[in-house]
Amino acid sequence: SGNEPINLNDYINQFTTLADTTVFYETLNDAKKQLNSISASQDLKTSRSYFYRFENGINCPAVGELKLIFKNPKISDSLQDVIICKENQIVLDAGPGFDAYLWDSGSTNSDSGALSIGIHWVDLTFDGCTTRQDVKVIAEEEVFIKILEIENDKLTITATGGTSPYEYSLDGTNWQSSNIFNNLPKGIQKVYVRSAKKCIPTVREFSNINLVNVITPNGDGKNDVLDF
């Protein structure tokens, strides 16, 4: 964690079982001269040494060095939050260089197996240390068809949301990158817009109205009624 509480008493038996008293120091010189003793409770922030002075009523005093080495956990640089279509799944990979993997999906490989939308985690073990790394699989924002402008059988589409560039279609099968359709037939129709990720498209119904701008209701069969 980069900040580890320790108790120096826990390591006395690695030196001796014969000491009546043990005092702790930050330097070898302090331990030899019995200067500036420190508490057994320490907060370890980096690899370092502590020095023990052991005494009993039989042997000469002795000084021992305890070297504590930080083993820093390692995280994956290749794991990043990712945006996918809400109806899809994705396989993530933490990459090589770790001793062990454990995903919330149950996978023990570098890859996660199929993951759906949500917050996921992987436990990465390196050099005896295990750390948990979170990664988000985010649903792409839905595309919104904001404006449909029709003039002289020409349709212009304005869309927002999702990931651009968009693709446009009048039948949901044939797609184009242009947001303009010419020679639009009359009548009720549908327009489809999908994002660059090709998620399920947004659909909006519209009408290209055949509005005759003159009416002569004289019974001659020409422009007698408004025809939409």
Side-chain angles (χ1 to χ4, degrees), residues 10 39 46 63 88 94 96 108 118 133 144 154 162 169 179 192 194:
D10 295 340
S39 166
T46 185
V63 173
N88 290 350
T108 55
Q133 185 171 351
F144 174 66
K154 175 184 175 182
S169 174
N179 67 326
Y192 302 77
R194 68 184 182 185

Side-chain angles (χ1 to χ4, degrees), residues 145-151 153-159 168 170 176 178-182 184 191 193 204 206:
I145 300 174
K146 187 176 181 181
I147 299 174
L148 294 177
E149 183 180 346
I150 304 172
E151 184 177 1
D153 296 334
K154 175 184 175 182
L155 170 65
T156 303
I157 306 164
T158 301
Y168 308 85
L170 292 178
Q176 65 180 45
S178 172
N179 67 326
I180 296 175
F181 291 91
N182 293 302
L184 198 67
V191 63
V193 182
R204 182 171 170 181
F206 68 96

Side-chain angles (χ1 to χ4, degrees), residues 74-124:
K74 178 181 175 181
I75 64 171
S76 170
D77 294 329
S78 63
L79 276 184
Q80 303 290 335
D81 293 347
V82 62
I83 298 175
I84 67 171
C85 303
K86 62 182 179 181
E87 68 273 11
N88 290 350
Q89 292 183 316
I90 191 171
V91 176
L92 301 179
D93 198 316
F98 296 93
D99 301 325
Y101 306 83
L102 177 61
W103 291 85
D104 60 345
S105 64
S107 172
T108 55
N109 300 318
S110 65
D111 65 90
S112 62
L115 299 177
S116 300
I117 301 300
I119 300 176
H120 299 276
W121 54 261
V122 57
D123 287 339
L124 300 170

Side-chain angles (χ1 to χ4, degrees), residues 8-22:
L8 297 177
N9 286 311
D10 295 340
Y11 304 95
I12 291 176
N13 287 343
Q14 295 193 35
F15 294 97
T16 180
T17 58
L18 302 177
D20 294 331
T21 60
T22 303

Side-chain angles (χ1 to χ4, degrees), residues 19-38:
D20 294 331
T21 60
T22 303
V23 185
F24 312 105
Y25 300 87
E26 289 191 339
T27 69
L28 176 61
N29 188 59
D30 284 351
K32 289 180 176 179
K33 296 182 178 180
Q34 294 181 274
L35 299 173
N36 305 315
S37 63
I38 61 175

